[in-house]
Amino acid sequence: MGVPGPIITGTIVYLLVGAALIAFIMGARITGLMTKDNAAIGNVVISVAVFFSWLFWACAWLHQWHPLIKPIYEGE
């Protein structure tokens, strides 16, 4: 039993989004649009936001994959 495919795909997507946002911050720092302190804060904010967004998505996906409460269907 391995890791499900959608978890791997979603993780890769979140990693790419996080890398693109951090690259944007680095580009803004290199071009002088942001100060060093603001770029450092941006990196932390982006890292934390991407991680917790991924965690929320993973929990939501897992709860749909293996629900804790199963519906009880009554016969009509």
Side-chain angles (χ1 to χ4, degrees):
M1 185 167 138
V3 178
I7 292 290
I8 294 172
T9 304
T11 301
I12 291 170
V13 167
Y14 274 96
L15 286 172
L16 291 175
V17 167
L21 290 172
I22 288 178
F24 175 75
I25 294 293
M26 291 174 70
R29 171 66 182 118
I30 290 171
T31 59
L33 294 173
M34 296 182 82
T35 64
K36 183 178 179 182
D37 293 335
N38 287 342
I41 291 171
N43 285 335
V44 171
V45 168
I46 288 171
S47 300
V48 170
V50 168
F51 172 75
F52 283 109
S53 294
W54 171 83
L55 185 64
F56 180 79
W57 169 82
C59 288
W61 188 87
L62 288 172
H63 283 293
Q64 292 176 23
W65 188 41
H66 289 296
L68 296 176
I69 300 172
K70 297 192 187 262
I72 299 172
Y73 299 107
E74 296 181 9
E76 294 183 11

